Amino acid sequence: MCIVTRTVKDEAELIRFVRSPDGVAVPDLARKLPGRGVWVSLARGVLGEAVKKKLFARGFQAETTIPPDLPDIVSKLLRQQALSLLSLAKKAGEAVAGFMKVEEMLGRGRARLLFHGTDASPDGCRKLDKLAEPGDVEKIVLFETRELDLAFG
């Protein structure tokens, strides 16, 4: 249950936080850290509201220190985790990079996600978007080309 909205959600829609021994709220993206956890909906605004209303202290039933930039920290950790998973998918042969390889995968109907860099050429994006089956391939524009290059090696 989210400590802000008080709604019961699937764990995939929530972020778990634990209280460190020195009393600081720590995001537990892997959901493996020991201790009592509190859950917050996976939305920056909801997390900001939890910080503003000091709901972590209530959830942990103890005085808890909240880093002032907690939403930024969580955002950065989630981005790093997503890029790591992309890198893992590439190593497993489930993800490709490069116009020709992506074009081939789209042509065979094997693609489910199509990542465009935020700073990618509009012409290149448009060409690949034409090959993506509407409804079958989700287009994601979230990372800079430099970040995607690092993830794909």
Side-chain angles (χ1 to χ4, degrees):
M1 178 188 320
C2 173
I3 62 171
V4 179
T5 63
R6 309 298 292 168
T7 56
V8 176
K9 295 184 177 187
D10 185 61
E11 282 186 13
E13 301 175 48
L14 298 165
I15 301 171
R16 181 175 187 257
F17 289 86
V18 295
R19 187 173 179 273
S20 70
D22 56 345
V24 177
V26 177
D28 180 18
L29 299 183
R31 300 179 180 104
K32 293 182 180 182
L33 293 174
R36 178 185 178 151
V38 298
W39 299 83
V40 179
S41 293
L42 189 58
R44 188 180 186 97
V46 176
L47 179 56
E49 191 175 334
V51 171
K52 188 170 101 177
K53 291 184 177 180
K54 299 182 181 180
L55 295 177
F56 287 99
R58 186 183 308 159
F60 290 125
Q61 298 175 350
E63 189 61 38
T64 305
T65 304
I66 309 297
D69 59 343
L70 186 62
D72 293 330
I73 292 170
V74 171
S75 176
K76 183 178 178 183
L77 289 172
L78 288 171
R79 286 178 70 85
Q80 287 173 345
Q81 185 179 43
L83 288 168
S84 294
L85 291 172
L86 274 175
S87 181
L88 201 61
K90 188 220 183 263
K91 288 176 185 170
E94 296 297 320
V96 296
F99 187 85
M100 299 300 285
K101 290 179 184 177
V102 172
E103 184 179 39
E104 181 184 338
M105 189 174 257
L106 286 169
R108 285 199 246 150
R110 288 199 57 232
R112 295 293 168 251
L113 297 173
L114 176 60
F115 286 86
H116 291 300
T118 55
D119 53 344
S121 157
D123 184 50
C125 294
R126 189 177 66 252
K127 288 177 184 176
L128 290 174
D129 288 346
K130 282 183 183 178
L131 296 172
E133 293 291 325
D136 288 344
V137 179
E138 185 175 340
K139 296 168 199 113
I140 299 171
V141 181
L142 184 62
F143 304 108
E144 294 176 8
T145 304
R146 172 187 54 82
E147 293 173 302
L148 291 170
D149 285 347
L150 286 172
F152 281 95

